[in-house]
């Protein structure tokens, strides 16, 4: 299992493309602050996204390992986030963490 964080690919360019997002967000009523915060956080995470080559190295490591592991993280961020997931038996820690992203 390859577990990446944000990866700088064409997806990033598509996220940043002008698609009239501001007009869409403006029409979301009471959800506007949360959606705005989510979009800002997403933009920040992609500003520090790992390169596609770095992510591909995790894939190559998994494919060429003599005794492959079950999980491969492609970045320090991914290792930190998945570490929370794995230690979170009921999902509440991940839910609290991701909820905090919307309140920033």
């Amino acid at each position: 299992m390859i577990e990446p964080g944000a990866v700088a690919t064409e997806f990033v360019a598509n996220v940043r493309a002008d698609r009239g997002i501001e007009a869409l967000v403006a029409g979301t009523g009471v959800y506007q602050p949360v959606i705005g915060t989510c979009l800002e956080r997403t933009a920040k995470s992609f500003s520090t996204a790992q390169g596609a080559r770095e992510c591909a190295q995790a894939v190559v490591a998994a494919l060429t390992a003599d005794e492959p592991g079950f999980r491969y993280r492609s970045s320090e961020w991914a290792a930190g986030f998945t570490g929370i997931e794995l230690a979170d038996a009921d999902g509440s820690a991940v839910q609290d963490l991701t909820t905090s992203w919307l309140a920033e």
Side-chain angles (χ1 to χ4, degrees):
M1 175 184 310
I2 307 298
E3 297 176 300
V7 180
T9 62
E10 287 304 309
F11 177 78
V12 175
N14 288 333
V15 167
R16 292 183 175 145
D18 181 16
R19 301 193 191 290
I21 297 296
E22 291 170 4
L24 288 171
V25 171
T28 59
V30 299
Y31 299 103
Q32 186 173 351
V34 173
I35 293 170
T37 299
C38 182
L39 291 172
E40 286 175 27
R41 187 177 191 298
T42 300
K44 284 180 192 175
S45 72
F46 282 116
S47 71
T48 59
Q50 72 182 113
R53 181 177 299 273
E54 183 182 0
C55 186
Q57 288 171 339
V59 174
V60 171
L63 292 173
T64 59
D66 290 335
E67 295 184 33
F70 182 73
R71 294 179 188 275
Y72 291 82
R73 283 79 174 208
S74 65
S75 68
E76 288 298 317
W77 184 93
F81 184 76
T82 57
I84 293 168
E85 287 183 313
L86 293 173
D88 185 18
D90 69 356
S92 61
V94 171
Q95 186 176 21
D96 289 347
L97 175 63
T98 55
T99 298
S100 76
W101 295 349
L102 301 177
E104 291 178 350

